[in-house]
Amino acid sequence: MKHLKKNSEFIKRSLIILFAIILIAISITLFSLSIEPYEGGFDADMDSVVLMFCGLALLIYGSYSVYALKRNKPLQVAYYGTFGAISVLISFYPLGVFFKAIAKNKPFIENQEYLYVGILGLVMIAYLVFSYISEQKKDAQA
């Protein structure tokens, strides 16, 4: 138990890396299964590409967090950069897909999940902005 408590921070950060690797593997699998060839090219699901970029950002963050743990480096910039990039991907890509579908007169019901995911991404961006502001306020007071 003592050994587990000692290494809990390393294990936690390693789990981020594991989650990112699984996310990347799932997105690559979904992308490869969605490829449909047609005359002159191919078509594929771009949702899985966005998922893969989110996984890559998370993998980079997880790897850097393990490095930062070993070197006693701060993680604040990496945290806000990574989750800011993920939030932007999760909000603006689905909103773009949704509004493009609406502009093409496609039914709302068939594309509403993109709207909801985009709104959740905007909430994540707002959370990060307010979290950053409150952290800066704490640092200024200290």
Side-chain angles (χ1 to χ4, degrees):
M1 189 66 163
K2 198 176 202 181
H3 184 67
L4 186 62
K5 285 183 180 180
K6 181 182 176 185
N7 292 322
S8 65
E9 189 65 28
F10 176 75
I11 293 169
K12 180 178 82 171
R13 294 177 186 204
S14 297
L15 287 174
I16 293 172
I17 294 172
L18 178 64
F19 177 72
I21 290 170
I22 291 170
L23 193 63
I24 292 169
I26 289 170
S27 66
I28 289 172
T29 303
L30 291 173
F31 178 77
S32 63
L33 291 174
S34 72
I35 295 175
E36 296 178 9
Y38 64 88
E39 190 175 318
F42 70 93
D43 193 21
D45 182 25
M46 292 307 293
D47 296 354
S48 56
V49 174
V50 171
L51 186 65
M52 184 180 66
F53 283 132
C54 290
L56 284 172
L58 201 56
L59 179 64
I60 291 168
Y61 172 74
S63 301
Y64 180 75
S65 71
V66 168
Y67 170 79
L69 179 66
K70 298 291 182 186
R71 304 276 189 208
N72 288 329
K73 294 192 177 261
L75 254 166
Q76 181 183 16
V77 173
Y79 171 80
Y80 287 111
T82 300
F83 290 102
I86 290 171
S87 298
V88 166
L89 284 170
I90 289 177
S91 64
F92 294 122
Y93 170 74
L95 288 174
V97 171
F98 172 75
F99 288 119
K100 183 178 177 183
I102 294 299
K104 290 183 175 183
N105 293 323
K106 292 186 179 177
F108 174 83
I109 296 293
E110 292 178 11
N111 296 289
Q112 68 181 346
E113 65 269 5
Y114 287 108
L115 174 65
Y116 303 141
V117 170
I119 290 171
L120 287 175
L122 290 174
V123 170
M124 284 176 55
I125 291 172
Y127 169 79
L128 286 171
V129 167
F130 289 115
S131 176
Y132 180 77
I133 290 170
S134 71
E135 196 167 299
Q136 293 302 312
K137 187 177 178 182
K138 286 178 189 175
D139 290 345
Q141 290 175 352

Short mmCIF file of all heavy atoms in Angstrom, two decimals, residues 105-139:
data_model
loop_
_atom_site.label_atom_id
_atom_site.label_comp_id
_atom_site.label_asym_id
_atom_site.label_seq_id
_atom_site.Cartn_x
_atom_site.Cartn_y
_atom_site.Cartn_z
N ASN A 105 -30.10 22.43 -46.01
CA ASN A 105 -31.50 22.04 -45.78
C ASN A 105 -31.67 20.58 -45.37
O ASN A 105 -32.67 19.95 -45.69
CB ASN A 105 -32.36 22.36 -47.00
CG ASN A 105 -32.49 23.84 -47.23
OD1 ASN A 105 -32.56 24.62 -46.27
ND2 ASN A 105 -32.49 24.24 -48.48
N LYS A 106 -30.69 20.05 -44.65
CA LYS A 106 -30.82 18.69 -44.12
C LYS A 106 -31.64 18.77 -42.83
O LYS A 106 -31.63 19.78 -42.14
CB LYS A 106 -29.44 18.09 -43.86
CG LYS A 106 -28.67 17.83 -45.15
CD LYS A 106 -27.39 17.12 -44.87
CE LYS A 106 -26.66 16.86 -46.18
NZ LYS A 106 -25.37 16.22 -45.96
N PRO A 107 -32.35 17.72 -42.47
CA PRO A 107 -33.22 17.75 -41.29
C PRO A 107 -32.44 17.98 -39.99
O PRO A 107 -31.36 17.43 -39.80
CB PRO A 107 -33.86 16.36 -41.27
CG PRO A 107 -33.67 15.81 -42.63
CD PRO A 107 -32.46 16.46 -43.21
N PHE A 108 -33.03 18.79 -39.13
CA PHE A 108 -32.42 19.10 -37.84
C PHE A 108 -32.21 17.83 -37.01
O PHE A 108 -31.16 17.66 -36.39
CB PHE A 108 -33.32 20.08 -37.07
CG PHE A 108 -32.85 20.35 -35.67
CD1 PHE A 108 -31.86 21.28 -35.43
CD2 PHE A 108 -33.41 19.67 -34.59
CE1 PHE A 108 -31.41 21.53 -34.14
CE2 PHE A 108 -32.97 19.92 -33.30
CZ PHE A 108 -31.98 20.84 -33.07
N ILE A 109 -33.19 16.96 -37.02
CA ILE A 109 -33.15 15.74 -36.20
C ILE A 109 -31.93 14.88 -36.53
O ILE A 109 -31.32 14.31 -35.63
CB ILE A 109 -34.45 14.92 -36.40
CG1 ILE A 109 -35.66 15.69 -35.89
CG2 ILE A 109 -34.37 13.55 -35.74
CD1 ILE A 109 -35.68 15.90 -34.40
N GLU A 110 -31.55 14.82 -37.79
CA GLU A 110 -30.43 13.98 -38.20
C GLU A 110 -29.08 14.57 -37.79
O GLU A 110 -28.07 13.86 -37.78
CB GLU A 110 -30.46 13.77 -39.71
CG GLU A 110 -31.61 12.94 -40.19
CD GLU A 110 -31.64 12.78 -41.70
OE1 GLU A 110 -30.65 13.14 -42.36
OE2 GLU A 110 -32.67 12.30 -42.21
N ASN A 111 -29.02 15.85 -37.48
CA ASN A 111 -27.75 16.51 -37.19
C ASN A 111 -27.71 17.17 -35.81
O ASN A 111 -26.74 17.85 -35.50
CB ASN A 111 -27.48 17.56 -38.26
CG ASN A 111 -27.30 16.94 -39.61
OD1 ASN A 111 -26.31 16.29 -39.86
ND2 ASN A 111 -28.29 17.09 -40.48
N GLN A 112 -28.72 16.95 -35.02
CA GLN A 112 -28.79 17.64 -33.73
C GLN A 112 -27.67 17.24 -32.78
O GLN A 112 -27.25 18.04 -31.94
CB GLN A 112 -30.15 17.43 -33.09
CG GLN A 112 -30.43 16.03 -32.63
CD GLN A 112 -31.81 15.89 -32.03
OE1 GLN A 112 -32.45 16.88 -31.72
NE2 GLN A 112 -32.26 14.66 -31.88
N GLU A 113 -27.15 16.02 -32.88
CA GLU A 113 -26.08 15.61 -31.97
C GLU A 113 -24.83 16.47 -32.15
O GLU A 113 -24.10 16.74 -31.20
CB GLU A 113 -25.75 14.12 -32.11
CG GLU A 113 -25.17 13.72 -33.44
CD GLU A 113 -26.21 13.30 -34.48
OE1 GLU A 113 -27.42 13.40 -34.22
OE2 GLU A 113 -25.78 12.89 -35.56
N TYR A 114 -24.59 16.93 -33.37
CA TYR A 114 -23.46 17.83 -33.61
C TYR A 114 -23.65 19.15 -32.87
O TYR A 114 -22.70 19.71 -32.31
CB TYR A 114 -23.26 18.09 -35.10
CG TYR A 114 -22.70 16.91 -35.84
CD1 TYR A 114 -23.50 16.17 -36.71
CD2 TYR A 114 -21.38 16.54 -35.69
CE1 TYR A 114 -22.98 15.08 -37.39
CE2 TYR A 114 -20.85 15.46 -36.37
CZ TYR A 114 -21.66 14.73 -37.22
OH TYR A 114 -21.14 13.66 -37.89
N LEU A 115 -24.86 19.65 -32.85
CA LEU A 115 -25.15 20.88 -32.12
C LEU A 115 -24.89 20.69 -30.63
O LEU A 115 -24.24 21.53 -29.99
CB LEU A 115 -26.60 21.31 -32.35
CG LEU A 115 -27.08 22.52 -31.53
CD1 LEU A 115 -26.31 23.77 -31.93
CD2 LEU A 115 -28.58 22.71 -31.71
N TYR A 116 -25.36 19.59 -30.06
CA TYR A 116 -25.22 19.36 -28.63
C TYR A 116 -23.75 19.15 -28.24
O TYR A 116 -23.30 19.66 -27.21
CB TYR A 116 -26.08 18.19 -28.19
CG TYR A 116 -27.55 18.38 -28.52
CD1 TYR A 116 -28.32 17.32 -28.96
CD2 TYR A 116 -28.15 19.63 -28.41
CE1 TYR A 116 -29.67 17.50 -29.27
CE2 TYR A 116 -29.48 19.82 -28.72
CZ TYR A 116 -30.23 18.76 -29.15
OH TYR A 116 -31.55 18.94 -29.46
N VAL A 117 -23.02 18.41 -29.05
CA VAL A 117 -21.59 18.21 -28.76
C VAL A 117 -20.85 19.55 -28.87
O VAL A 117 -19.98 19.86 -28.05
CB VAL A 117 -20.98 17.15 -29.70
CG1 VAL A 117 -19.47 17.11 -29.58
CG2 VAL A 117 -21.57 15.78 -29.41
N GLY A 118 -21.20 20.35 -29.87
CA GLY A 118 -20.58 21.66 -30.02
C GLY A 118 -20.85 22.57 -28.84
O GLY A 118 -19.97 23.29 -28.37
N ILE A 119 -22.06 22.52 -28.33
CA ILE A 119 -22.40 23.33 -27.14
C ILE A 119 -21.60 22.85 -25.92
O ILE A 119 -21.10 23.66 -25.14
CB ILE A 119 -23.92 23.29 -26.88
CG1 ILE A 119 -24.65 24.08 -27.98
CG2 ILE A 119 -24.25 23.86 -25.51
CD1 ILE A 119 -26.15 23.93 -27.97
N LEU A 120 -21.46 21.54 -25.78
CA LEU A 120 -20.64 21.01 -24.68
C LEU A 120 -19.19 21.48 -24.81
O LEU A 120 -18.53 21.79 -23.81
CB LEU A 120 -20.71 19.49 -24.64
CG LEU A 120 -22.00 18.88 -24.13
CD1 LEU A 120 -21.96 17.37 -24.26
CD2 LEU A 120 -22.24 19.29 -22.69
N GLY A 121 -18.69 21.52 -26.04
CA GLY A 121 -17.34 22.03 -26.27
C GLY A 121 -17.21 23.49 -25.88
O GLY A 121 -16.20 23.91 -25.30
N LEU A 122 -18.23 24.29 -26.19
CA LEU A 122 -18.22 25.70 -25.79
C LEU A 122 -18.23 25.84 -24.27
O LEU A 122 -17.57 26.73 -23.71
CB LEU A 122 -19.41 26.44 -26.41
CG LEU A 122 -19.35 26.64 -27.92
CD1 LEU A 122 -20.66 27.26 -28.42
CD2 LEU A 122 -18.17 27.50 -28.31
N VAL A 123 -18.97 24.96 -23.60
CA VAL A 123 -18.98 24.97 -22.13
C VAL A 123 -17.59 24.63 -21.60
O VAL A 123 -17.12 25.23 -20.62
CB VAL A 123 -20.06 24.01 -21.58
CG1 VAL A 123 -19.92 23.82 -20.08
CG2 VAL A 123 -21.44 24.51 -21.94
N MET A 124 -16.92 23.68 -22.24
CA MET A 124 -15.56 23.34 -21.83
C MET A 124 -14.61 24.52 -22.01
O MET A 124 -13.76 24.78 -21.15
CB MET A 124 -15.04 22.14 -22.64
CG MET A 124 -15.61 20.82 -22.22
SD MET A 124 -15.07 19.44 -23.26
CE MET A 124 -13.31 19.54 -23.19
N ILE A 125 -14.75 25.25 -23.11
CA ILE A 125 -13.92 26.43 -23.34
C ILE A 125 -14.19 27.47 -22.24
O ILE A 125 -13.25 28.06 -21.69
CB ILE A 125 -14.17 27.03 -24.74
CG1 ILE A 125 -13.63 26.09 -25.81
CG2 ILE A 125 -13.52 28.40 -24.87
CD1 ILE A 125 -13.99 26.49 -27.23
N ALA A 126 -15.45 27.70 -21.93
CA ALA A 126 -15.80 28.66 -20.87
C ALA A 126 -15.20 28.22 -19.54
O ALA A 126 -14.66 29.05 -18.79
CB ALA A 126 -17.31 28.81 -20.77
N TYR A 127 -15.29 26.93 -19.24
CA TYR A 127 -14.70 26.41 -18.00
C TYR A 127 -13.21 26.70 -17.95
O TYR A 127 -12.69 27.15 -16.92
CB TYR A 127 -14.96 24.91 -17.85
CG TYR A 127 -14.16 24.31 -16.72
CD1 TYR A 127 -14.58 24.45 -15.41
CD2 TYR A 127 -12.97 23.63 -16.97
CE1 TYR A 127 -13.83 23.92 -14.36
CE2 TYR A 127 -12.22 23.11 -15.94
CZ TYR A 127 -12.65 23.26 -14.65
OH TYR A 127 -11.90 22.75 -13.63
N LEU A 128 -12.51 26.43 -19.04
CA LEU A 128 -11.07 26.65 -19.07
C LEU A 128 -10.72 28.12 -18.91
O LEU A 128 -9.77 28.47 -18.22
CB LEU A 128 -10.47 26.10 -20.37
CG LEU A 128 -10.37 24.59 -20.46
CD1 LEU A 128 -9.98 24.16 -21.86
CD2 LEU A 128 -9.36 24.06 -19.44
N VAL A 129 -11.50 28.99 -19.55
CA VAL A 129 -11.24 30.43 -19.44
C VAL A 129 -11.41 30.89 -17.99
O VAL A 129 -10.53 31.56 -17.43
CB VAL A 129 -12.16 31.23 -20.40
CG1 VAL A 129 -12.13 32.71 -20.08
CG2 VAL A 129 -11.76 30.99 -21.84
N PHE A 130 -12.51 30.52 -17.37
CA PHE A 130 -12.75 30.93 -15.99
C PHE A 130 -11.79 30.26 -15.01
O PHE A 130 -11.38 30.86 -14.01
CB PHE A 130 -14.20 30.70 -15.58
CG PHE A 130 -15.15 31.65 -16.26
CD1 PHE A 130 -16.10 31.18 -17.15
CD2 PHE A 130 -15.07 33.01 -16.03
CE1 PHE A 130 -16.96 32.06 -17.79
CE2 PHE A 130 -15.92 33.90 -16.65
CZ PHE A 130 -16.87 33.42 -17.54
N SER A 131 -11.40 29.05 -15.30
CA SER A 131 -10.41 28.37 -14.47
C SER A 131 -9.06 29.08 -14.55
O SER A 131 -8.39 29.29 -13.54
CB SER A 131 -10.27 26.91 -14.93
OG SER A 131 -9.27 26.25 -14.22
N TYR A 132 -8.69 29.47 -15.74
CA TYR A 132 -7.43 30.20 -15.94
C TYR A 132 -7.47 31.55 -15.21
O TYR A 132 -6.51 31.93 -14.54
CB TYR A 132 -7.16 30.40 -17.43
CG TYR A 132 -5.89 31.14 -17.72
CD1 TYR A 132 -4.66 30.50 -17.62
CD2 TYR A 132 -5.90 32.48 -18.08
CE1 TYR A 132 -3.48 31.18 -17.87
CE2 TYR A 132 -4.74 33.17 -18.33
CZ TYR A 132 -3.53 32.51 -18.22
OH TYR A 132 -2.36 33.19 -18.47
N ILE A 133 -8.59 32.26 -15.34
CA ILE A 133 -8.73 33.57 -14.67
C ILE A 133 -8.64 33.41 -13.16
O ILE A 133 -7.94 34.17 -12.48
CB ILE A 133 -10.04 34.25 -15.09
CG1 ILE A 133 -9.96 34.69 -16.55
CG2 ILE A 133 -10.34 35.44 -14.18
CD1 ILE A 133 -11.29 35.15 -17.12
N SER A 134 -9.33 32.41 -12.60
CA SER A 134 -9.30 32.22 -11.15
C SER A 134 -7.90 31.80 -10.68
O SER A 134 -7.46 32.20 -9.61
CB SER A 134 -10.34 31.20 -10.70
OG SER A 134 -9.99 29.91 -11.09
N GLU A 135 -7.20 31.02 -11.48
CA GLU A 135 -5.84 30.62 -11.12
C GLU A 135 -4.89 31.82 -11.16
O GLU A 135 -4.03 31.95 -10.31
CB GLU A 135 -5.36 29.52 -12.06
CG GLU A 135 -4.16 28.79 -11.53
CD GLU A 135 -3.89 27.53 -12.28
OE1 GLU A 135 -4.76 26.64 -12.28
OE2 GLU A 135 -2.79 27.43 -12.87
N GLN A 136 -5.07 32.69 -12.15
CA GLN A 136 -4.24 33.89 -12.22
C GLN A 136 -4.54 34.81 -11.05
O GLN A 136 -3.62 35.46 -10.52
CB GLN A 136 -4.49 34.63 -13.55
CG GLN A 136 -4.02 33.86 -14.77
CD GLN A 136 -2.53 33.55 -14.70
OE1 GLN A 136 -1.72 34.41 -14.41
NE2 GLN A 136 -2.18 32.30 -14.97
N LYS A 137 -5.78 34.86 -10.63
CA LYS A 137 -6.15 35.70 -9.49
C LYS A 137 -5.51 35.18 -8.22
O LYS A 137 -5.02 35.95 -7.39
CB LYS A 137 -7.69 35.72 -9.36
CG LYS A 137 -8.21 36.66 -8.33
CD LYS A 137 -9.74 36.66 -8.34
CE LYS A 137 -10.28 37.57 -7.26
NZ LYS A 137 -11.74 37.55 -7.23
N LYS A 138 -5.49 33.85 -8.04
CA LYS A 138 -4.85 33.24 -6.88
C LYS A 138 -3.36 33.52 -6.88
O LYS A 138 -2.76 33.79 -5.83
CB LYS A 138 -5.09 31.73 -6.85
CG LYS A 138 -6.47 31.32 -6.46
CD LYS A 138 -6.59 29.81 -6.50
CE LYS A 138 -8.02 29.37 -6.33
NZ LYS A 138 -8.17 27.92 -6.48
N ASP A 139 -2.72 33.41 -8.06
CA ASP A 139 -1.29 33.67 -8.16
C ASP A 139 -0.95 35.13 -7.85
O ASP A 139 0.08 35.42 -7.26
CB ASP A 139 -0.77 33.30 -9.57
CG ASP A 139 -0.76 31.81 -9.81
OD1 ASP A 139 -0.87 31.04 -8.83
OD2 ASP A 139 -0.65 31.40 -10.99
#
